[in-house]
Amino acid sequence: MSSSEQDDEPSSDRLPFESVFSTVLTGWAFDRGATEGACGPADSGAVRLIWLRNIGRDGVIAAPDPEVDEWRCDAPERFHLRAGDILLSSVISGRPKAAVVQEVDLPAVAVRSLFVLRPAQPLPVEHVRLILAFLRSDTVGALAVGNFGQQHLRLSQLKALELPKEDQALSAALADLAAAGQRLGEMAAEASTLAESVFDRSGSPEEARRLIIGAGQLTRLRSTAAAQLDDPDFIIRTRYPYPIALRWRNVEAQRSADGQDDAQAKEYAAVLKAAETLLGYSALLTTALAHEAGITCKAIRAFKGKIAATGLGGGPGFGDWQRILQQISAAEGMADLPPEHPLLELSILLGDDEAEVACRSLGTKRNSKAHGREDLPAVSASKLQEAHDGLRFLLDRARFLADLQLLDVTNVVWDRHDQSDTVTFRRLMGDHPVVPTETLRHTGSNRIAPILYLADRDHGLHPLSPFLTCEKCEQCATLSLFHADKEQGVLLQTSLDHGHYYPYRADERALRAVGLQ
């Protein structure tokens, strides 16, 4: 096959346009000057005329307005829209407009500057969402040609397009984004309505002020909460997994103690501990997910070997965590994972030179401190800032961890009638271990156990035990995350969040089952 023939083939993640849409109509070009055929919405056979102006940038077809809309009784049957049809602007200014026709929009016909795309068979909602996003993109808009702001998309160009295949993970992400935008829009509209009603409530400015302050309290609190999400520190402290969020809170606490004796040294130590916790948590997630998927690499085998060894060696450290995160991307079997699998995001955490430099710099500083090669009271401001910048860089790259929920399952009740589990759990996200208890229904093929799980964006549950366990610390009685560790050949469990450790208490058979003993 020639290279030109290969270029003409659709890519593996695309579909030929005509395999998705069996019919493409141009809008009805009726004679606007003719009064014959015009009618009212209640007349027999009346259909609403949908123009380009009736379609919003958000893909919503405006509700009928008897004062503005036109209705006709003479529209040919072949132009009548059906639920599921997709309307696309043929005259484009900026990005194209596209919308899907719903039952509530009927009866109607599209006119003039619109294409009507009729699916060959009913499309899943998720696939429609992706197709609409593609049709509204600059990729499609750039095909339009014309002069003086009138850019026209030709039918031949439209039919030559390759459309995205169905992708449930991407579609779900788009749906979440749309829902968030709609919610923010509703809050903005509520605030505007409240402001406009100030003198509808009272003739007295003083009384109006009192009423507006009271009625607007929730709106102001929403605004304050939303503004905090623009602060990266707030996001880390409240949305990241508990061990990382807690370590970051410690960094902030030490920074706020500036001016006290040895404050810089304490902040420096907190930064290095936070960096090691970030890498340790990420590497242990990687190891647990890789085990579940039947994937391994040299660094994972070395980590397991350290725990399983019978000699007087020690356990894993900063370098072990770093190597696991660096090597997993090239492990055999990674290419076979579905695109939404969380292991793929973990595999790119340290996936470029900039991340490697930041990680190596932090590792060098951590090792120097651990081996007594740093005079901590004399830590310079520049060295502290360098460590802080490296940690912030890695935390920003790890923002996906805020979407991967850490769930401590405390109880599971099986309902044999519904064939489902009622799962009681704690969501260990944010910088405090005391969180409300929640419940969910689980109907998957795998039974749920009272252990630690990672919930991905699609609400799939991935077991983390025994690589990570959650239990009350014997030393400080705080709910903590532990991993298997070694010191002088003694099997230990070490906390990621505060560093306490003691002899391993859990069932060692679980360690043996995953190669850690």
Side-chain angles (χ1 to χ4, degrees), residues 45-337:
V47 294
R48 178 194 177 196
L49 303 187
I50 294 181
W51 299 79
L52 180 57
R53 66 173 180 268
N54 297 125
I55 299 177
R57 287 290 176 190
D58 56 359
V60 175
I61 298 174
D65 185 344
E67 300 296 324
V68 176
D69 286 332
E70 299 176 68
W71 298 77
R72 306 281 299 193
C73 297
D74 58 346
E77 184 70 27
R78 66 189 184 92
F79 286 107
H80 286 209
L81 297 176
R82 303 175 190 173
D85 287 347
I86 290 178
L87 305 184
L88 173 67
S89 54
S90 61
V91 176
I92 297 173
S93 175
R95 286 175 176 263
K97 290 183 177 181
V100 61
V101 177
Q102 309 288 347
E103 288 286 354
V104 70
D105 301 315
L106 302 177
V109 296
V111 295
R112 299 187 184 277
S113 303
L114 289 170
F115 287 122
V116 180
L117 317 182
R118 182 155 295 158
Q121 56 186 7
L123 297 172
V125 173
E126 294 80 6
H127 198 187
V128 170
R129 191 178 292 123
L130 291 185
I131 291 173
L132 287 173
F134 174 72
L135 292 175
R136 297 184 193 121
S137 70
D138 285 337
T139 300
V140 175
L143 298 176
V145 294
N147 297 309
F148 308 111
Q150 289 292 313
Q151 305 292 317
H152 293 266
L153 181 65
R154 297 193 184 98
L155 185 58
S156 59
Q157 294 172 312
L158 184 61
K159 290 185 175 181
L161 287 172
E162 293 176 4
L163 302 174
K165 285 186 176 179
E166 187 174 359
D167 184 321
Q168 292 189 350
L170 177 56
S171 179
L174 288 173
D176 289 343
L177 193 61
Q182 181 179 355
R183 180 63 179 143
L184 290 172
E186 290 171 352
M187 288 192 287
E190 182 180 322
S192 297
T193 301
L194 188 59
E196 292 168 358
S197 69
V198 58
F199 288 110
D200 297 339
R201 296 167 176 265
S202 171
S204 162
E206 292 79 10
E207 179 66 12
R209 178 180 180 276
R210 185 182 65 79
L211 290 172
I212 289 296
I213 288 175
Q217 183 180 39
L218 180 57
T219 298
R220 295 194 304 275
L221 289 173
R222 286 169 174 165
S223 175
T224 301
Q228 286 181 307
L229 290 174
D230 288 328
D231 177 5
D233 294 349
F234 178 81
I235 293 174
I236 297 167
R237 200 169 56 248
T238 61
R239 296 292 184 266
Y240 276 44
Y242 167 64
I244 299 171
L246 178 63
R247 289 293 194 184
W248 179 252
R249 189 183 73 181
N250 292 340
V251 170
E252 289 187 314
Q254 294 301 332
R255 171 158 286 197
S256 67
D258 188 28
Q260 298 180 12
D261 292 341
D262 68 3
Q264 281 193 176
K266 289 181 178 179
E267 183 183 351
Y268 184 71
V271 167
L272 298 182
K273 288 177 181 177
E276 186 161 12
T277 295
L278 170 63
L279 292 190
Y281 177 82
S282 301
L284 288 163
L285 283 193
T286 297
T287 304
L289 292 167
H291 177 78
E292 180 190 36
I295 294 172
T296 191
C297 64
K298 182 178 178 181
I300 289 178
R301 291 192 293 270
F303 158 60
K304 291 181 176 180
K306 281 192 171 185
I307 303 300
T310 57
L312 298 178
F318 195 103
D320 298 284
W321 306 139
Q322 181 179 349
R323 284 186 287 274
I324 288 173
L325 294 168
Q326 289 171 333
Q327 293 179 17
I328 192 63
S329 61
E332 185 177 355
M334 287 291 291
D336 299 326
L337 293 174

